Amino acid sequence: MAGAGYKLFNTGDVLTAAQVNTYLMEQSVMVFNNAAARTTALSGVVAEGMLSYLKDTNAVEVYDGANWVASDDPNAIQNSIVDAKGDLISASADNVPARLAVGNNGESLVADSTASTGLAYSPSGLTQPIINGAFDIAQRGTTTTTLSSTFLLDRWAASVSGGATGTQERVAGLTVGTQVFQYAWKFTASSNFTFMQMGQQIEFSNCYLLQNQQVTISFYAQANNSNAASTALIVRTRTAAGVDASCLFSGTAVGTTQTITTSAARYSITRTLPATFGALSLEFVLGTSGASGDGFTITGIQIDRGSVALPFRRAGGTLAGELAACQRYYWRTIGQAGASNDLLPATMFTTTQITGIVRFPVPMRTAATATFSAAGDFEFVWSAGTSTITAANIDRTSSESLNLRLTSSGLTVNGAGYVAIKSGSTKWLEASAEL
């Protein structure tokens, strides 16, 4: 009978019918058309341990002494764990397999420690909308004590309560685990203040897909000290109805207070944005009255669609791409250290007037507003030498260029030369199309 075990047959042994039945027939995998055929064939001889294969169900079953049961490894992943096309088998703990339901079309699978399986589907295909989130680009400079909705590092403006003073500056970046940033933005108060805020308005074409969407705002931050005025950081989004209407520091606000510490760390906040809007800004606010020395450092700012904070990435992909993205809103050229900066070819159209067109590196968001440091910071170089500039005008601008007209003397009509900005970083020409 089944369960007789193993018998070693030696040369010359006689194989009996009982041995054939016990060691071969009853301990083989017997094949039957169906369960009824098996019952008929094994009537009176069925025994615990017998194995059979049923052709109608393609099932291997074992007799447990009372019933025929499925022959399966209880530790194997069972078919019943998956319910639909695209389901994945993951794990919720050590030796605990679990089903991960298929995501929506176009979503990507990402690691998520808050999910039961450690994985989650997240919307993909949306570029990070925050430009210069790691503060790589600083066309205006790297430090200022002006804090009246003042832009310093590209795309970011800051303000402080009336009468208060402080410094916004670019500093060495933060390091959290393996994530290392080269730069960060820092605010340090130099007087008492009631609030301080910094933020960026996002162009509608870069955020319209976020309407009525759950988003995750993530950033790396460090408080200057343990005072509440440094650690109670409000993460605020503002919206306005009109397309690209001004909403930075003034739109309809939704805020969440995130407590940061004096150790650099990554933080994330999830919220659902309004069903419709035409303008969106992201702001970071110290809303607790503070004193000199209070403030915070921040970098790696990002918005992701969905509930997962993805690894930080630049909006422009590369450093060059990030610069181009910033120059859609602001462009500046300055005098170089120890040398003039050749700016544009120009024509002398009278004996006192010079004109030329400055073309921007990338098309700007809209027709730019252009300014310069001083007329005397330009010079005109031509065959007769270098002419001093006594007056300068920007006659017109567009999203792609500006027309610069300079005044000098002793020029040759229809002669040609080039305009340069004299050496020194305090001499500049700029164009702005900021929101």
Side-chain angles (χ1 to χ4, degrees):
M1 63 181 294
Y6 173 80
K7 176 178 176 59
L8 177 64
F9 287 88
N10 296 310
T11 302
D13 286 351
V14 176
L15 180 63
T16 66
Q19 290 172 335
V20 171
N21 290 331
T22 300
Y23 292 108
L24 299 179
M25 295 302 298
E26 295 174 2
Q27 295 192 150
S28 65
V29 178
M30 297 169 281
V31 179
F32 302 98
N33 287 330
N34 50 47
R38 177 181 62 193
T39 298
T40 300
L42 299 180
S43 177
V45 297
V46 66
E48 183 178 1
M50 282 184 172
L51 281 172
S52 71
Y53 174 80
L54 303 181
K55 295 168 67 176
D56 62 338
T57 60
N58 298 320
V60 176
E61 295 180 341
V62 62
Y63 191 73
D64 65 2
N67 298 288
W68 289 96
V69 296
S71 175
D72 203 353
D73 181 356
N75 292 319
I77 296 174
Q78 306 299 308
N79 292 342
S80 60
I81 197 172
V82 291
D83 295 337
K85 179 176 71 174
D87 283 357
L88 299 178
I89 298 172
S90 183
S92 59
D94 182 27
N95 296 323
V96 183
R99 166 181 172 261
L100 177 63
V102 63
N104 297 314
N105 289 342
E107 291 183 330
S108 299
L109 192 62
V110 297
D112 181 1
S113 61
T114 65
S116 62
T117 62
L119 298 169
Y121 283 96
S122 180
S124 59
L126 179 65
T127 301
Q128 130 87 322
I130 295 296
I131 296 173
N132 204 27
F135 305 101
D136 298 295
I137 311 302
Q139 295 184 88
R140 296 175 179 87
T142 58
T143 183
T144 184
T145 55
T146 304
L147 290 156
S148 180
S149 297
T150 305
F151 285 93
L152 177 65
L153 307 184
D154 281 59
R155 298 294 295 121
W156 294 96
S159 67
V160 69
S161 52
T165 58
T167 300
Q168 60 163 321
E169 60 184 329
R170 187 171 75 174
V171 296
L174 303 177
T175 298
V176 177
T178 59
Q179 180 66 64
V180 180
F181 291 94
Q182 185 175 7
Y183 299 114
W185 179 96
K186 184 176 184 179
F187 166 72
T188 304
S190 54
S191 71
N192 293 342
F193 66 94
T194 57
F195 73 87
M196 178 273 152
Q197 54 192 0
M198 63 88 72
Q200 176 180 141
Q201 181 166 338
I202 305 165
E203 190 174 356
F204 183 64
S205 60
N206 289 334
C207 65
Y208 72 94
L209 290 177
L210 298 181
Q211 294 176 98
N212 201 34
Q213 295 294 307
Q214 182 186 56
V215 299
T216 298
I217 302 163
S218 59
F219 57 96
Y220 295 76
Q222 182 175 4
N224 285 12
N225 51 48
S226 298
N227 299 336
S230 296
T231 61
L233 185 63
I234 301 170
V235 182
R236 177 182 292 164
T237 51
R238 289 185 186 267
T239 55
V243 173
D244 289 332
S246 177
C247 70
L248 184 64
F249 307 145
S250 62
T252 302
V254 176
T256 302
T257 299
Q258 173 67 61
T259 300
I260 63 176
T261 71
T262 55
S263 297
R266 193 185 197 193
Y267 302 92
S268 63
I269 290 173
T270 299
R271 70 174 51 136
T272 299
L273 296 178
T276 60
F277 57 78
L280 172 68
S281 68
L282 174 63
E283 303 167 9
F284 297 89
V285 182
L286 294 178
T288 303
S289 295
S292 179
D294 290 336
F296 69 102
T297 301
I298 191 168
T299 192
I301 302 170
Q302 181 164 286
I303 296 179
D304 291 302
R305 189 167 53 170
S307 61
V308 180
L310 299 176
F312 176 78
R313 60 204 186 279
R314 293 185 177 103
T318 64
L319 191 60
E322 197 82 325
L323 174 60
C326 290
Q327 288 179 333
R328 175 172 169 79
Y329 306 91
Y330 179 82
W331 166 82
R332 170 182 279 206
T333 185
I334 63 174
Q336 303 302 303
S340 60
N341 178 11
D342 297 345
L343 184 59
L344 72 152
T347 300
M348 297 171 276
F349 68 96
T350 72
T351 58
T352 60
Q353 298 289 296
I354 304 160
T355 188
I357 296 175
V358 177
R359 298 200 176 276
F360 306 137
V362 299
M364 302 193 79
R365 182 183 66 86
T366 188
T369 299
T371 56
F372 51 85
S373 52
D377 292 340
F378 296 106
E379 59 186 13
F380 180 63
V381 182
W382 59 302
S383 59
T386 300
S387 295
T388 299
I389 304 301
T390 57
N393 297 90
I394 296 172
D395 286 341
R396 60 184 179 273
T397 64
S398 69
S399 62
E400 297 189 357
S401 65
L402 64 84
N403 183 274
L404 183 64
R405 178 168 54 87
L406 305 176
T407 302
S408 187
S409 61
L411 305 176
T412 299
V413 177
N414 294 328
Y418 64 88
V419 174
I421 298 177
K422 294 178 181 178
S423 64
S425 61
T426 60
K427 301 175 178 64
W428 47 264
L429 171 67
E430 67 178 14
S432 177
E434 289 285 5
L435 289 160

